[in-house]
Amino acid sequence: MADAEPIRSSYCHCSDCRKATGAPVTAFVGFEQDAVVFEGEARRSFRNGRMERSFCGVCGSPLDYRDDGLPGNIYVYLGVMNEPERFAPTLHAFESERLSFLKVDDELPRFDRFSVER
């Protein structure tokens, strides 16, 4: 549950996000970390370099990620949110890594790499 306005909502086409979620593109919404509370006690985390990704320890669903380069922020995958339609993505990150067969027909801004400085 998040008790705040998001700081950003995005699609990400990078290979790391694809591997972490098993999806051809990832959608997530970012919040200040203190504004997000997960219910239950089954949340597990995995760290790889500067990224820490969390998942449900019961069903294995990916939940969120945190990037050491963006301290104090947490990015929750839209697919696990109760009301994902409230947080429509506003941009595409890592467009340079988008799978060639994935055609996304929208007018959102596209970034070849990160959409924010780290």
Side-chain angles (χ1 to χ4, degrees):
M1 166 185 268
D3 189 26
E5 288 298 310
I7 52 178
R8 78 184 44 81
S9 187
S10 175
Y11 292 108
C12 185
H13 299 276
C14 81
S15 62
D16 287 344
C17 283
R18 289 197 310 265
K19 289 175 184 175
T21 62
V25 64
T26 300
F28 59 82
V29 60
F31 296 96
E32 295 292 329
Q33 192 165 338
D34 294 342
V36 177
V37 176
F38 288 94
E39 297 176 2
E41 298 180 25
R43 188 167 170 249
R44 302 286 184 254
S45 295
F46 175 79
R47 177 167 282 281
N48 185 8
R50 70 181 204 192
M51 300 292 285
E52 184 171 352
R53 297 181 188 273
S54 297
F55 57 94
C56 176
V58 175
C59 72
S61 293
L63 299 174
D64 65 82
Y65 77 90
R66 283 161 280 158
D67 182 334
D68 291 347
L70 300 168
N73 296 343
I74 187 169
Y75 298 89
V76 181
Y77 298 114
L78 286 181
V80 300
M81 298 189 80
N82 290 336
E83 299 177 79
E85 53 280 329
R86 289 183 50 211
F87 306 105
T90 59
L91 60 91
H92 292 265
F94 282 87
E95 176 70 14
S96 61
E97 295 185 29
R98 180 180 48 81
L99 296 173
S100 62
F101 63 80
L102 183 66
K103 307 297 182 203
V104 182
D105 186 23
D106 62 34
E107 300 298 321
L108 297 178
R110 294 167 190 267
F111 296 85
D112 281 342
R113 297 202 27 88
F114 295 108
S115 60
V116 296
E117 291 296 318
R118 285 167 167 71

